[in-house]
Amino acid sequence: MKKHVSIPSWFAILLLVMASLNLAGCKEDPARSTLRLTLQNVQNPTERSLVPTGIPLEVTKYVVQGTGPQGNTFSMESSNSSLEIEGLLIGNWDLYAIGQNSSDVDLVEGSNSFLLTTEPKNVTVQLNTLKGTGTMTINFQWDMEKISNASIELSVTNQEGVKTAVAPTINNYANGSVTYSAFYPAGSYTVQARLYSGSIAVAGCAEAVRVVGNKITEGTITLDLDKFAEIPSSLTLINKAGTPIECSISGLSSTMIAMQNVTAEIATMNISDNGSLEISWFLDGQQIATGLDCTFVPSSGTHRLDVIATGALLASSGSASFTFQATVGGTPDIPVLMTEVADGTEGLYVAGDTKVAFLPDGKVLLASATHNSLQVCRIVRDTMEVIRSYSTSDDFNTVGITDMLVDPNSYRVAIADATTPGIALYQYDASDATLTKLFYRNNVKYTKSDGSTLTFSDIDMLSLDGSNGTLYCTVPGSTDLPMSNMYASNAEDFQTNSYTYFLFSSLQEFSGMAIAPGNNKAALFSEPDGLLKLCTRDNSNKLIANDKNFSSETNGTPYLSGIRSVAFLNDSNVVCGTGNALNRFTNTSALNWEQADIWLSGQNGIDSMLGIEQLIVNPSRTVLYAICQDSKNIHCFAVDSSTSELSYLGAASLGIFQPSGAALSPDREFLIVFSKTANKILLFRIPQ
């Protein structure tokens, strides 16, 4: 039997609503959706750059914030660059993301806006803006004793390539340092520095510097003038894909030849990486090239080569520095011309009859007859700069200077002038390169008991007996040798009121003199008489004694006619130069001398060797230089350490320059040739 049940209409409606709700629960809520977010870091840690101390530059954590419809927001942190965020309202969303390092320091930021629909949305936020403002503080240091009148040029180039000149914020030139400090937006920068001594650039650098928001990037750069660092051979950057680029650098060594082309190259292991790098080369702080290779010509001395490479990623810059010594090429001990320094160059006075002497610390003393000047100078980058200038207004005797003698032991300087004539004695202070005038003596060589005086009318060459401080000077047209006391403590002691003279002598004059390194032997010569006089100190401590004379006419010793120069190779051997010959005499016994060697112009492999105006022996007494006025060249001889025999090395031409003398630096590296008429000097380097 069938039963019929009657259901009220209100209950049927309720069931229909519940069924509808259950059906809806099986689908995505039409008002909300899911965001799949990828954070892409576009920055790259800097390689070989100045960076904030103790601040990691790698992004290890992300902070993401979103603002959407109806004021809805979310914020989350993750160490993963891929995130999935569910339950966001459908509509327009703005995202902001920050990349942080392991110390929660904000490094980089980025944002994106998008429309979220019912379907899950894939969105990428590029972290392409470095965050914040940081401080860049760099200290530049150098050896203040190696340059004078120091100044520095600084510039900062940003990531867009805009270069701005800046000035040091702290100047301490007196102690050899400056500091630059300023606020910069986070990013990578190139800092260039050029150090000057006067107007001559002597050192420089270029560095990649990374600035991080709210942090200090600081470092110290030493602009080293004569020390050399190890040279790195590789540089690593990150390319667009974030993979390391391995680079090898070739063409450089710690020592290279000056004044010749040098090519440095960066080669990548994967040639496809080459297009992703921008490379700049800097020599001593000045940009000289771009690209994977760089060709340049270094002057002699110490240099710093910097290479700065920039990759495609944000803040991907790196730098490497190379310090090298460029030395002069050529045959060892034969001078190589580096520079002709003309009168007026950088304020140097070398016009007219010029005299040059090296001071014990390697600085140079210059005297010019035209300018009546005396200058202390320094050799910088194969040229010269003035440190101090003196004239008659300083109460210095700078008129008519005929000779200058520097004592390396006492740092005293004797300068002869033909004006009075007389000799001025100065004290040199190497700490500030200054001369202090001590005493001046006139031309009175002796005062008789009746009060009358004997005087000399001219003055020429100075010679020092280092054993007792006796300073001899030759007098043109006379055989008298007036004496002074180089080590005097007062003016009276300086002018000793004594002289050496020769009774019944038929000689016209003593043209020049030399004293042996041991101070027990002396050599005097007379050009008009063609005579060489060799002396040995006697038991009464008199140096000009036990003399033995040599001349072509009286001793059968040829090639002494026209003798113009003399020098001791050592205590037992002396050489003299004539119009066309170089002679060596050796001390064979206590008081006996003999002619040992003769080198003639045009013979035994020697080209023209005419008018030997000066003979110079290097400090180690291993090389002899003959400065030839008439043939306009420098002939070089090696000195055997055992026998003192000479062997010919070669010659350096002076072109049309007619020399009157030369000066050799204490370290044997420089030779300066001067003239009476050329209005310039020649600066040579000597290969070692």
Side-chain angles (χ1 to χ4, degrees):
M1 179 173 117
K2 295 182 179 179
K3 293 185 179 179
H4 296 273
V5 179
S6 177
I7 300 175
S9 59
W10 61 268
F11 185 68
I13 294 172
L14 178 60
L15 291 176
L16 180 61
V17 171
M18 292 178 64
S20 299
L21 289 174
N22 289 334
L23 183 61
C26 298
K27 295 182 179 180
E28 187 76 48
D29 187 341
R32 296 182 180 273
S33 187
T34 297
L35 170 65
R36 294 172 184 150
L37 178 62
T38 299
L39 300 171
Q40 189 176 74
N41 179 19
V42 190
Q43 78 143 2
N44 177 48
T46 303
E47 297 288 339
R48 300 187 190 274
S49 300
L50 291 180
V51 298
T53 303
I55 304 298
L57 298 180
E58 296 81 10
V59 172
T60 59
K61 185 172 65 174
Y62 302 91
V63 177
V64 183
Q65 298 173 347
T67 302
Q70 303 176 22
N72 279 265
T73 62
F74 74 87
S75 178
M76 63 182 302
E77 295 183 2
S78 175
S79 59
N80 198 323
S81 60
S82 296
L83 300 88
E84 187 167 301
I85 307 165
E86 298 180 342
L88 297 180
L89 286 178
I90 294 173
N92 291 313
W93 282 86
D94 296 321
L95 295 182
Y96 173 66
I98 299 174
Q100 297 180 333
N101 65 10
S102 57
S103 302
D104 297 334
V105 175
D106 296 343
L107 297 178
V108 67
E109 62 185 354
S111 61
N112 198 357
S113 297
F114 63 94
L115 175 64
L116 184 65
T117 63
T118 56
E119 296 299 325
K121 181 74 172 181
N122 294 320
V123 175
T124 297
V125 175
Q126 286 197 351
L127 305 180
N128 56 8
T129 302
L130 297 171
K131 184 170 175 56
T133 298
T135 302
M136 176 195 303
T137 300
I138 304 177
N139 177 254
F140 299 89
Q141 298 179 349
W142 61 89
D143 188 343
M144 63 180 181
E145 294 184 357
K146 288 185 168 52
I147 62 174
S148 61
N149 303 318
S151 62
I152 196 166
E153 289 182 358
L154 301 176
S155 66
V156 178
T157 303
N158 64 15
Q159 297 166 116
E160 287 72 40
V162 179
K163 183 177 180 179
T164 304
V166 298
T169 51
I170 300 176
N171 292 318
N172 193 6
Y173 285 108
N175 293 317
S177 71
V178 299
T179 300
Y180 174 69
S181 183
F183 294 103
Y184 281 92
S188 287
Y189 298 85
T190 297
V191 175
Q192 289 175 247
R194 293 268 285 171
L195 179 65
Y196 289 82
S197 181
S199 61
I200 302 171
V202 295
C205 68
E207 287 279 357
V209 179
R210 175 68 187 276
V211 175
V212 175
N214 300 316
K215 299 296 178 182
I216 298 175
T217 299
E218 59 185 348
T220 297
I221 298 174
T222 299
L223 300 173
D224 208 328
L225 301 176
D226 58 7
K227 291 185 179 179
F228 324 125
E230 288 189 9
I231 295 180
S233 59
S234 64
L235 173 68
T236 300
L237 292 176
I238 304 297
N239 66 9
K240 294 177 181 178
T243 58
I245 299 174
E246 295 294 336
C247 305
S248 63
I249 300 174
S250 61
L252 298 175
S253 61
S254 59
T255 302
M256 291 183 284
I257 302 300
M259 310 306 294
Q260 294 185 12
N261 282 344
V262 175
T263 298
E265 296 179 316
I266 290 184
T268 58
M269 300 301 181
N270 185 352
I271 195 65
S272 63
D273 289 328
N274 289 350
S276 66
L277 298 178
E278 293 182 4
I279 297 175
S280 299
W281 300 83
F282 301 82
L283 182 64
D284 299 323
Q286 184 175 25
Q287 186 170 352
I288 56 173
T290 59
L292 293 173
D293 59 61
C294 168
T295 299
F296 60 98
V297 180
S299 60
S300 63
T302 306
H303 299 275
R304 171 171 166 155
L305 182 69
D306 293 288
V307 56
I308 293 184
T310 303
L313 295 182
L314 186 63
S316 60
S317 64
S319 62
S321 299
F322 315 92
T323 304
F324 64 90
Q325 173 80 349
T327 58
V328 176
T331 305
D333 298 317
I334 298 180
V336 176
L337 179 63
M338 304 304 295
T339 309
E340 295 184 0
V341 182
D343 182 50
T345 302
E346 301 294 339
L348 271 79
Y349 296 143
V350 290
D353 188 359
T354 300
K355 305 296 181 185
V356 177
F358 273 93
L359 294 161
D361 61 351
K363 295 184 180 66
V364 182
L365 201 57
L366 277 181
S368 166
T370 297
H371 297 283
N372 293 325
S373 59
L374 185 65
Q375 296 179 309
V376 179
C377 308
R378 183 199 314 268
I379 298 175
V380 180
R381 289 284 188 231
D382 295 331
T383 187
M384 296 178 67
E385 66 165 345
V386 178
I387 302 174
R388 301 274 184 269
S389 292
Y390 300 98
S391 65
T392 54
S393 62
D394 302 299
D395 194 30
F396 275 45
N397 298 81
T398 60
V399 179
I401 292 177
T402 60
D403 197 17
M404 301 188 296
L405 184 146
V406 177
D407 178 27
N409 298 314
S410 66
Y411 279 50
R412 287 194 169 185
V413 179
I415 299 179
D417 71 84
T419 305
T420 303
I423 304 173
L425 187 63
Y426 301 88
Q427 183 67 53
Y428 176 65
D429 186 346
S431 66
D432 57 2
T434 57
L435 289 170
T436 301
K437 186 177 180 181
L438 300 177
F439 318 115
Y440 182 79
R441 65 153 297 168
N442 57 27
N443 64 333
V444 175
K445 60 184 179 182
Y446 187 73
T447 302
K448 298 180 180 180
S449 58
D450 61 2
S452 61
T453 59
L454 299 176
T455 62
F456 52 90
S457 59
D458 203 351
I459 191 170
D460 193 5
M461 184 181 295
L462 299 172
S463 299
L464 176 64
D465 179 354
S467 67
N468 53 30
T470 300
L471 180 68
Y472 296 91
C473 66
T474 57
V475 177
S478 170
T479 58
D480 292 342
L481 298 173
M483 294 185 288
S484 308
N485 181 7
M486 187 80 169
Y487 303 148
S489 58
N490 55 63
E492 291 74 20
D493 289 342
F494 180 45
Q495 189 159 341
T496 59
N497 197 37
S498 61
Y499 68 105
T500 296
Y501 61 97
F502 294 83
L503 292 173
F504 313 115
S505 174
S506 62
L507 296 178
Q508 299 179 52
E509 69 171 25
F510 283 129
S511 308
M513 178 180 180
I515 297 176
N519 297 303
N520 284 321
K521 295 180 176 64
L524 298 101
F525 67 91
S526 173
E527 182 175 0
D529 297 299
L531 178 134
L532 174 67
K533 181 183 288 290
L534 300 177
C535 306
T536 303
R537 192 184 298 275
D538 64 13
N539 294 330
S540 64
N541 203 32
K542 185 179 179 181
L543 178 61
I544 310 302
N546 297 316
D547 53 306
K548 183 172 183 179
N549 297 332
F550 292 90
S551 69
S552 299
E553 289 74 17
T554 59
N555 296 81
T557 49
Y559 306 109
L560 288 177
S561 178
I563 183 171
R564 299 166 70 168
S565 54
V566 65
F568 276 89
L569 299 177
N570 45 52
D571 286 330
S572 301
N573 289 268
V574 64
V575 289
C576 62
T578 69
N580 66 344
L582 178 67
N583 298 270
R584 177 173 71 94
F585 288 81
T586 186
N587 187 202
T588 57
S589 62
L591 301 177
N592 189 52
W593 294 83
E594 293 181 1
Q595 189 176 32
D597 296 326
I598 302 173
W599 294 82
L600 296 177
S601 174
Q603 297 186 20
N604 299 316
I606 298 179
D607 291 331
S608 181
M609 183 175 66
L610 302 175
I612 303 176
E613 187 69 14
Q614 185 180 3
L615 294 167
I616 301 174
V617 183
N618 70 355
S620 61
R621 305 203 166 267
T622 57
V623 180
L624 170 69
Y625 297 99
I627 314 300
C628 300
Q629 186 176 78
D630 299 339
S631 55
K632 302 180 180 64
N633 50 20
I634 304 170
H635 287 273
C636 311
F637 298 82
V639 182
D640 188 278
S641 59
S642 300
T643 64
S644 299
E645 292 181 354
L646 301 178
S647 56
Y648 186 61
L649 296 174
S653 174
L654 301 179
I656 62 172
F657 187 90
Q658 188 171 47
S660 60
L664 181 66
S665 65
D667 60 6
R668 305 182 300 167
E669 290 191 8
F670 295 98
L671 184 75
I672 299 177
V673 184
F674 49 91
S675 171
K676 292 183 177 181
T677 58
N679 294 335
K680 63 181 177 182
I681 57 176
L682 305 184
L683 176 61
F684 288 81
R685 269 191 183 265
I686 300 177
Q688 302 299 311

